[in-house]
């Protein structure tokens, strides 16, 4: 424990700096031990925290903190100098008067002759009276006008401790004063304690009583530093040795917060080169100005308290600590016994050569300037008014106050873990003795002074938007070529917006992922606290960009749903009739209805089977997103790895109820989501690509094989002049055969005893860029089909019209003849896209004269299925999961909503796709299983 002398001296450091225009805040002070002062000639100054000389005719007082006049000298009231008493007089015991010796003067000792023992012969000092009679010292009982202190050997002069016998004095605050000069009066509307003690505190502070100056400071603090209040006005006029102004100089907030005097670096772990807990100290004063102590800060300034070990994180370096509670007025009264305690905060700065205290500024949001403006609520730091002292609650004023919120902000430098001076923001609210639920909260936060991250985030997001616009322009160029547009229309404008959303969303996703991973890695591995997490404004900007990316991705997926449900799909059956229809005597009646020389019909069931397989592929994804979300939920929430996203430099991976869990950072939380989503998606995709699709089944490749076995080709027109072609014409001529023949055909292919399946060589898959002539003929043929307007309900009631059947037959003939180069005016060539065309997914040249079939090594027809939209759907799942999670801080809620949306998208795609197939292929929807 520090001695009372040391505590007083440390707290005296609050008032060391003179108040002038150049001062921006209290200067740090060097620790000097009171024991180092020379006894008798030096004293330890509480205001300067050092040893000072007593000066002439003075000696050190018993407490070592002041000096008194030497024997034979007095210091009259109102004087600062010690005056020697002329012989044969001596100084009174209180050092205020020179007294004559009634019983004789001893010149050898310079004192009055000693008195005989006994209570009736004690030495009594009698001060001068108003009639002009000099004071005296005599061995008598205490005369009228004095009072004998219990246990004392002297009679105390009137005016020191008891006014009951003083007929010439006035009483203020229990202290006696002479009638002149006139004393200051308190405001008439002040609360009772203010009216009772203001006058005495003012006069005694002028006379050098430090506790009275502290009482005045407390009265000013209770008035929330109202500069027009008399206590606040007077407190700024007294000597700096007693009390420096409670106010920081106006307009100095910027300079105060940019001070670089604190040398001790902050570290996030244990080490010898810094501190892992904020070295905060608190000085406390009672209402009457008495120093209560100076001690290391724990939870003294909080109305909400927590047990250990949770409370140990309150001042741990880098930990954002938030606590809130409700307290009752009864608890406040019980805690404070109706007497408020006043606090001032310090930061202890210890290096290898120095050990200093830095006073921390306090920002009271309720403060009003002389013009009545709430300058401390303004975001303009330059207008802030810092002060030094605050209280937790009080019940002495007419409208009692309590701290509804406190926030300690630690401002980080960009080098070596050093900090600028932290400051405490305090907000007060009114309360009454009957209140039961008074909300209160505290936050310890860390912030940087630079806006570079916010600026970089905005600039990079704008770059993403610009690049998204460039990407949109390239895609629109390809769109115009694929649709054959000659002028801008509504669809092209919508497509431009959707492609802008697509490109910008992808770039924002990549940008936000990179940013979040940067913060997670560098925030968690730093030793010196160099990198505080982004501010709330920067967090909000990040969340808005994430929401924008998610919204853009939703718009793109909705467009893909609409587009894929509108594509033209046609199945070309290459199977030829096996001869004329044969009749027998048993079916003579039926034979009469069959025209002569009619070819035997080709079975439709192979086509139905292929159509059903295509229908199943429409909403098939390459990644099982249900399993993906479940794995993310398991590792992040159930196992508890989400705690890596806490605003705590320590890497906590489990939830311990006894441990304080810092609030989550939205940026770190999104990084956890991104890591797990990307990792598990890569694992699932790797498993599908390297194992499942290679050794078990590849849905799209199997569909191509099925087309070849079924002797059915598939032509998909996703745009007016662009589409995909799967060449499924059987090399065996017929597919409608028995099992024996089918096995024989497979064996011939295995032994390479027949032709290749491809249109040219082994190529079965193509992207088509068509001519306008092809499209004109195509549209002319399919007009009756579109006129039918089949829905699944109509198909079940009326079937296909005769015109529709003829159109279907005509389209089959047209397309099959086109594939076999049998049309004179419409033909095609086979080519290969350039690397840049494949990369951008567009074509640089129109199809002039002939259509172009581009060979493709990938299953490009998957682009009109969910299989080809996996990247977009993956982003939708991740961004939707991420934005819901950072807003709600709930992985289960994000998982449920993400899966519901994903299932809804798949349901809509399946439902719309079935209707589109039924309409475009004339296959009754009841056959789509």
């Amino acid at each position: 424990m520090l001695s009372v002398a040391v505590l007083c001296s440390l707290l005296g450091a609050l008032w060391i700096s003179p108040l002038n225009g150049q001062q921006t805040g209290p200067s740090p002070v060097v620790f000097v031990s009171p024991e180092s002062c020379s006894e008798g000639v030096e004293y330890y100054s509480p205001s300067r925290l050092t040893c000072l000389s007593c000066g002439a005719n003075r000696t050190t007082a018993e407490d070592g903190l002041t000096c008194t006049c030497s024997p034979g000298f007095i210091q009259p009231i109102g004087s600062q100098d010690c005056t020697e008493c002329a012989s044969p007089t001596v100084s009174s015991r209180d050092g205020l008067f020179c007294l004559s010796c009634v019983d004789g003067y001893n010149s050898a000792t310079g004192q009055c002759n000693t008195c005989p023992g006994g209570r009736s012969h004690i030495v009594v000092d009698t001060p001068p009276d108003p009639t002009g009679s000099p004071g005296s010292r005599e061995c008598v009982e205490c005369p009228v006008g004095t009072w004998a202190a219990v246990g004392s050997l002297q009679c105390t002069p009137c005016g020191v401790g008891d006014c009951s016998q003083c007929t010439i004095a006035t009483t203020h605050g229990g202290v006696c004063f002479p009638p002149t000069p006139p004393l200051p009066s308190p405001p008439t509307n002040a609360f009772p304690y203010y009216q009772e003690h203001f006058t005495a505190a003012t006069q005694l502070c002028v006379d050098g009583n430090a506790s009275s100056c502290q009482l005045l400071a407390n009265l000013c603090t209770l008035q929330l530093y109202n500069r027009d209040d008399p206590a606040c006005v007077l407190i700024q006029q007294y000597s700096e040795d007693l009390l420096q102004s409670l106010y920081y100089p106006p307009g100095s907030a910027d300079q105060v917060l940019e001070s670089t005097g604190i040398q001790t670096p902050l570290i996030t772990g244990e080490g010898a080169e810094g501190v892992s807990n904020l070295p905060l100290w608190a000085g406390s004063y009672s209402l009457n100005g008495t120093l209560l102590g100076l001690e290391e800060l724990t939870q003294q300034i909080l109305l909400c308290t927590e047990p250990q070990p949770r409370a140990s994180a309150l001042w741990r370096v880098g930990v954002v600590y938030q606590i809130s509670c409700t307290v009752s007025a009864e608890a406040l009264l019980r805690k404070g016994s109706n007497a408020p305690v006043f606090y001032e905060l310090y930061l202890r700065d210890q290096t290898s050569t120095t050990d200093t205290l830095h006073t921390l500024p306090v920002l009271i949001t309720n403060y009003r300037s002389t013009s009545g403006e709430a300058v401390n609520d303004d975001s303009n730091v330059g207008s802030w008014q810092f002060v030094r002292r605050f209280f937790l609650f009080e019940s002495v004023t007419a409208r009692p106050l309590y701290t509804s919120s406190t926030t300690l902000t630690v401002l980080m430098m960009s080098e070596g873990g050093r900090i600028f001076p932290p400051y405490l923001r305090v907000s007060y609210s009114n309360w009454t003795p009957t209140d039961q639920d008074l909300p209160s909260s505290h936050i310890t936060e860390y912030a940087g002074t630079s806006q570079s991250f916010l600026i970089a985030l905005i600039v990079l997001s704008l770059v993403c938007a610009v690049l998204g616009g460039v990407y949109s322009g390239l895609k629109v160029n390809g769109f115009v070529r694929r649709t054959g547009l000659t002028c801008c229309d509504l669809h092209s404008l919508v497509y431009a917006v959707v492609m802008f959303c697509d490109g910008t969303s992808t770039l924002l996703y990549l940008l936000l992922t990179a940013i979040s991973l940067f913060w997670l890695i560098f925030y968690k591995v730093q030793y010196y606290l160099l990198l505080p997490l982004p501010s709330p404004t920067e967090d909000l900007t990040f969340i808005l960009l994430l929401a924008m990316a998610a919204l853009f991705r939703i718009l793109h997926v909705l467009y893909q749903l609409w587009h894929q449900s509108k594509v033209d799909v046609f199945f070309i059956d290459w199977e030829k009739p096996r001869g004329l229809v044969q009749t027998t005597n048993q079916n003579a009646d039926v034979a009469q209805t069959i025209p002569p020389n009619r070819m035997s019909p080709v079975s439709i069931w192979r086509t139905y089977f292929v159509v059903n397989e295509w229908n199943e592929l429409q909403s098939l994804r390459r990644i099982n997103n249900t399993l993906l979300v479940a794995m993310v939920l398991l590792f992040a929430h159930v196992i508890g790895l989400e705690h890596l996203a806490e605003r705590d430099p320590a890497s906590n991976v489990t939830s311990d109820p006894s441990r304080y869990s810092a609030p989550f950072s939205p940026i770190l939380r999104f990084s956890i989501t991104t890591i797990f989503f990307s990792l598990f998606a890569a694992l699932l995709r790797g498993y599908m690509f390297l194992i499942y699709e290679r050794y078990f089944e590849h849905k799209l490749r199997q569909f191509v094989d099925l087309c070849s076995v079924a002797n059915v080709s598939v032509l998909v027109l996703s745009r007016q002049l662009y589409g995909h072609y799967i060449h499924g014409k059987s090399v065996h001529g017929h597919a409608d055969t028995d099992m024996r023949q089918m096995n024989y055909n497979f064996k011939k292919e295995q032994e390479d005893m027949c032709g290749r399946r491809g249109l040219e060589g082994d190529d079965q898959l193509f992207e088509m860029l068509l001519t306008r002539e092809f499209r004109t003929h195509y549209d002319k043929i399919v007009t009756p089909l579109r006129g039918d307007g089949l829905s699944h309900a109509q198909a079940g009631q009326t079937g296909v019209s005769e015109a529709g059947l003829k159109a279907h037959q005509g389209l089959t003939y047209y397309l099959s003849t086109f594939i076999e180069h049998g049309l004179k005016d419409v033909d095609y060539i086979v080519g290969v896209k350039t690397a840049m065309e494949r990369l951008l997914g567009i074509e640089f040249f129109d199809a002039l004269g002939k259509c172009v079939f581009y060979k493709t090594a990938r299953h490009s027809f998957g682009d009109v299925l969910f299989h080809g939209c996996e990247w977009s759907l993956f982003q939708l799942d991740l961004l939707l999961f991420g934005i819901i999670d950072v807003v709600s801080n709930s992985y289960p809620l994000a998982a449920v909503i993400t899966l519901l949306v994903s299932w809804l998208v798949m349901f809509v795609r399946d439902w719309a796709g079935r209707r589109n197939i039924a309409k475009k292929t004339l296959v009754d929807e009841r056959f789509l299983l």
Side-chain angles (χ1 to χ4, degrees), residues 141 196 471 725:
E141 295 183 0
E196 180 181 357
Y471 172 80
Y725 175 64

Side-chain angles (χ1 to χ4, degrees), residues 324-366:
S324 60
C325 66
T326 57
V327 295
S328 64
E330 181 182 0
L332 292 181
L333 294 173
R334 185 169 59 251
K335 181 177 181 179
S337 300
N338 294 322
V341 176
F342 298 82
Y343 296 95
E344 294 177 358
L345 298 183
Y346 310 93
L347 187 141
R348 187 172 183 178
D349 188 15
Q350 291 179 293
T351 65
S352 58
T353 57
T354 61
D355 189 358
T356 57
L357 284 178
H358 294 264
T359 305
L360 302 188
V362 177
L363 187 72
I364 297 179
T365 59
N366 308 72

Side-chain angles (χ1 to χ4, degrees), residues 568-583:
D568 284 354
V569 184
F570 194 80
F571 297 86
I572 307 171
D573 190 350
W574 295 96
E575 194 75 10
K576 302 299 182 182
R578 291 293 187 92
L580 299 175
V581 176
Q582 301 294 324
T583 61

Side-chain angles (χ1 to χ4, degrees), residues 860-911:
S860 60
F861 67 90
D863 292 345
V864 297
L865 310 171
F866 264 11
H867 190 276
C869 304
E870 188 58 52
W871 173 241
S872 183
L873 295 173
F874 168 76
Q875 287 188 59
L876 174 64
D877 290 341
L878 191 153
L879 293 173
L880 185 62
F881 189 102
I883 188 62
I884 295 173
D885 176 62
V886 299
V887 171
S888 65
N889 283 337
S890 173
Y891 275 113
L893 178 62
V896 170
I897 295 179
T898 300
L899 289 178
L900 289 177
V901 171
S902 177
W903 294 337
L904 177 62
V905 169
M906 294 177 66
F907 171 79
V908 172
R909 177 64 181 90
D910 183 69
W911 172 79

